[in-house]
Amino acid sequence: MAAEMIIDMTKTFSGRAPIQARLRYEVEASTVLILFGPSGSGKTTILRSVAGLEWPEEGRIQFLSRIWLETKSGIRVSPQDRQIGYMPQDYALFPTYSVAGNIAYGLGGLAPHDRSKRVAEVVELFQLQGFEATKPRELSGGQQQRVALARAVAPRPQLLLLDEPLSALDAPTRLQLRGELRTLLKQLALPSIIVTHDWAEALTLGDVMAVMGEGQVHQVGKPHEVFSCPADANVARIVGVETVVQGQVIENANGLATVAVNGTRLKGLGSAAIGAAVYVCIRAEDVVVEQAGSGRTSARNHLMGRVSGIAPQGVMVQVTIDCGFPLTATITRGAVEDLGLVPGASVIAAIKAGAVHLVPRSS
Amino acid sequence: MNWTAIWVTFKLASLTAGVLLVVGLPIAYWLTFSKWRWKFIVESVVALPLVLPPTVLGFYILVAIGPHSPVGRFYSDVVGHPLPFTFEGLLLASILYSLPFAVQPFAAAFEQVDRRLIEASWTLGVSKLATFFKLIVPLSMAGLVTGAVLSFAHTLGEFGVVLMVGGNIEGETRTVSIDIYDEVQALNYAGAAKTALLLLAVSYGVLLLVYAMNRKVWAVWPQK
């Protein structure tokens, strides 16, 4: 049997749609599962159930060969016995303990000498030298996040559970820590589950992604595949980024990067180095469709292409344009009629450089 | 001043506070964290001494530990003398009488502890009991001191329960408040005044400590 994580659970909170999640995926040494969805979709409840902090009324949670919950046979493993590292959204650092005290908190089973050795190791790994005696409230948000992660990792857990690990940070810090977190997770060689509603985080950090909505798992797959090929309209609405394609940075000047995607050149904002592999992410409502041969605009990207699909979605129409890669645009019904769009028609897709998001691809 | 009565009173109050610190903590923990739907029944029982006249409480304790009850018979069989009108009987009555003064501040302090901290502790492999001592107790220190101090102060001034259960035995169950009453009955106002003043000063000092402890800004010594 392959090493697997199996989550099959039902949990009801009064006044809310029941959470009925079924999910199973293969776990390797450092597989990162992303639980992706809007707030209230049940992703945090699933994470907490895996942590043993929430008890589903019914179901089964199995990590590798260990069964943590099986309501049928009455198996309920306590959070203490699951050997997990759990980081809640607001970090929950212990205010009465110093940074070193927080990190050492879960190391009660070690002899004092081994404990201080492990604390020193972890402090170094998370670059917290000099802060050992500092109380958590005196730290910046980014430092608190590192301490929380260090505390979760110190007892050498088998599985790391992170609830919105970056959402409490300001935007520049978040961007910086996103990349660091990916490197760190690979370095730790520790399977993890990360809850997020940020698609850039999902693309950067995830190996597998489960899209959640209204308490159900809608789709499970590789993050860029889920983004570019949502299983249904529901998933497409939840992920909100219709075009995700792989590209390579070929030029970068003053923060404006040129990316080659399957022969087509696109300009986007980003500081990725030349040669770097990136995901190019474009939201469908940011794409303007023009008739071929019309005038100049301020948009930096004008992609020649052919309409390959037209799918009405309520008042809007989703138009797929083949311009070297499939690009999705959302426009009104009126625009489709005005432009006389039919499959096969030649069009130009205009996208502002600011709407072309470049997300570094994990190696 | 009747130093024997003062000694008995302080011994009684210290032991009551000490026992309540041990007995009150698990009760307060259970009251705070239990999800049992009928919990309010136990909460009401714990709060009963707040509203019950001390004589009523004392009467029931007296009956409960007297020679006609199984508890009282068992005690006198084991120890050799009955429980009422002894210091031990008085101590038991004081503990029950001051129970809400310890348990309620404890529970209020536990209630203030962020559940997410407790959960974080559990996921780090730390047992519920160890989490209680390593995390909950340090975070609830002000409430624990308040509960201990309040039950101490409350025991200092008890009168009705002492009279019902302890009687008035010099060196055994004669406390300061009874001593003051006796002095007044004997028209020895000067003696009563001195003892009363001592009780007033101690009670005031104790309450000063409680209120200082519970201020957001540490008033007694600077917060580290």
Side-chain angles (χ1 to χ4, degrees):
Chain A
M1 196 184 78
E4 269 188 319
M5 173 98 204
I6 302 170
I7 300 168
D8 180 355
M9 54 167 271
T10 307
K11 170 84 189 170
T12 322
F13 291 105
S14 59
R16 280 178 53 184
I19 293 159
Q20 284 176 308
R22 278 159 183 277
L23 172 65
R24 123 185 242 158
Y25 65 98
E26 267 180 44
V27 177
E28 281 169 28
S30 64
T31 306
V32 177
L33 169 76
I34 300 284
L35 285 174
F36 186 91
S39 50
S41 60
K43 52 195 195 305
T44 292
T45 303
I46 293 180
L47 193 79
R48 288 172 53 82
S49 302
V50 173
L53 299 173
E54 211 77 73
W55 297 103
E57 294 99 43
E58 220 187 311
R60 180 180 149 86
I61 295 173
Q62 182 177 347
F63 174 65
L64 309 182
S65 60
R66 277 168 285 182
I67 298 170
W68 282 342
L69 174 82
E70 194 170 68
T71 47
K72 225 173 22 194
S73 54
I75 297 176
R76 281 161 66 107
V77 176
S78 72
Q80 284 93 343
D81 295 330
R82 293 190 184 196
Q83 287 186 284
I84 44 159
Y86 168 69
M87 186 172 104
Q89 196 171 351
D90 55 359
Y91 311 142
L93 293 172
F94 305 135
T96 46
Y97 287 84
S98 65
V99 167
N102 267 279
I103 295 171
Y105 189 90
L107 301 175
L110 297 181
H113 174 256
D114 296 331
R115 193 184 314 154
S116 45
K117 207 174 117 199
R118 179 65 180 153
V119 171
E121 247 171 55
V122 174
V123 162
E124 198 188 321
L125 177 65
F126 286 86
Q127 294 158 23
L128 289 162
Q129 297 99 324
F131 292 105
E132 288 92 337
T134 313
K135 287 281 167 68
R137 63 164 180 273
E138 294 159 29
L139 299 173
S140 74
Q143 288 164 338
Q144 288 187 12
Q145 194 253 15
R146 289 215 299 275
V147 176
L149 207 51
R151 183 182 67 180
V153 163
R156 302 184 194 279
Q158 302 296 308
L159 176 67
L160 195 56
L161 306 170
L162 311 179
D163 194 353
E164 303 267 7
L166 303 170
S167 68
L169 303 169
D170 54 83
T173 316
R174 189 160 60 220
L175 212 62
Q176 185 206 337
L177 288 188
R178 200 162 73 197
E180 286 180 17
L181 187 57
R182 173 74 195 180
T183 317
L184 190 81
L185 289 177
K186 290 294 153 192
Q187 198 181 336
L188 290 169
L190 192 62
S192 34
I193 301 180
I194 300 177
V195 161
T196 184
H197 61 265
D198 180 319
W199 52 266
E201 257 171 64
L203 278 170
T204 313
L205 302 172
D207 297 309
V208 189
M209 170 168 151
V211 179
M212 302 268 321
E214 288 99 40
Q216 311 243 327
V217 177
H218 288 294
Q219 189 176 358
V220 181
K222 288 204 166 80
H224 69 272
E225 287 172 9
V226 173
F227 278 102
S228 44
C229 309
D232 52 46
N234 225 345
V235 175
R237 188 179 47 76
I238 293 166
V239 297
V241 183
E242 290 76 4
T243 302
V244 177
V245 285
Q246 303 184 357
Q248 197 172 28
V249 178
I250 52 172
E251 210 182 300
N252 198 332
N254 306 325
L256 191 64
T258 307
V259 188
V261 181
N262 200 14
T264 307
R265 289 182 172 213
L266 272 164
K267 284 194 196 301
L269 295 187
S271 54
I274 293 170
V278 290
Y279 285 119
V280 179
C281 310
I282 303 164
R283 306 185 65 144
E285 64 249 40
D286 290 334
V287 179
V288 175
V289 181
E290 300 166 2
Q291 245 161 353
S294 50
R296 296 164 63 94
T297 67
S298 67
R300 286 299 85 196
N301 298 294
H302 293 89
L303 309 176
M304 295 282 291
R306 277 179 192 285
V307 176
S308 59
I310 297 177
Q313 282 192 337
V315 287
M316 303 300 278
V317 178
Q318 200 162 63
V319 179
T320 313
I321 301 159
D322 181 10
C323 48
F325 59 92
L327 176 70
T328 307
T330 304
I331 57 178
T332 58
R333 281 171 188 278
V336 175
E337 286 162 21
D338 276 1
L339 295 171
L341 293 185
V342 287
S346 287
V347 288
I348 292 176
I351 316 156
K352 288 183 163 188
V356 176
H357 304 277
L358 305 178
V359 177
R361 253 169 78 188
S362 49
S363 43
Chain B
M1 257 192 287
N2 184 342
W3 290 105
T4 317
I6 291 170
W7 163 242
V8 168
T9 306
F10 275 83
K11 192 168 73 166
L12 181 67
S14 312
L15 283 173
T16 302
V19 171
L20 278 174
L21 203 55
V22 176
V23 175
L25 285 181
I27 297 176
Y29 183 89
W30 183 82
L31 284 178
T32 312
F33 296 104
S34 167
K35 287 180 182 142
W36 191 47
R37 59 190 297 202
W38 304 106
K39 191 169 82 174
F40 67 91
I41 296 173
V42 181
E43 275 175 319
S44 311
V45 170
V46 169
L48 211 50
L50 286 176
V51 291
L52 218 52
T55 44
V56 173
L57 188 74
F59 171 73
Y60 280 116
I61 295 172
L62 192 61
V63 171
I65 65 176
H68 298 297
S69 86
V71 180
R73 260 201 306 277
F74 177 76
Y75 183 87
S76 56
D77 284 352
V78 173
V79 181
H81 61 85
L83 199 46
F85 310 114
T86 61
F87 182 79
E88 291 76 24
L90 185 56
L91 179 62
L92 176 73
S94 295
I95 290 164
L96 291 173
Y97 184 48
S98 288
L99 190 64
F101 287 84
V103 169
Q104 290 187 348
F106 294 171
F110 294 163
E111 196 70 53
Q112 291 295 311
V113 177
D114 192 338
R115 298 300 157 97
R116 285 166 296 192
L117 298 181
I118 297 170
E119 290 176 352
S121 171
W122 292 351
T123 61
L124 287 164
V126 177
S127 70
K128 287 190 176 181
L129 187 67
T131 299
F132 179 74
F133 287 109
K134 285 179 77 171
L135 189 68
I136 300 176
V137 165
L139 286 169
S140 317
M141 207 32 102
L144 300 192
V145 174
T146 301
V149 165
L150 280 183
S151 51
F152 178 87
H154 188 234
T155 309
L156 282 187
E158 72 180 55
F159 183 77
V161 174
V162 179
L163 216 50
M164 294 294 286
V165 180
N168 186 1
I169 303 163
E170 178 75 12
E172 178 81 12
T173 60
R174 184 186 168 95
T175 62
V176 173
S177 55
I178 292 179
D179 184 59
I180 294 170
Y181 180 74
D182 282 351
E183 297 282 21
V184 172
Q185 290 290 298
L187 298 177
N188 180 7
Y189 278 60
K194 271 194 260 176
T195 319
L197 187 64
L198 178 77
L199 208 54
L200 175 69
V202 171
S203 303
Y204 183 60
V206 155
L207 288 179
L208 276 180
L209 182 68
V210 169
Y211 281 97
M213 284 280 301
N214 281 295
R215 281 183 59 170
K216 284 270 187 300
V217 182
W218 213 252
V220 178
W221 57 84
Q223 196 167 15
K224 268 217 313 194

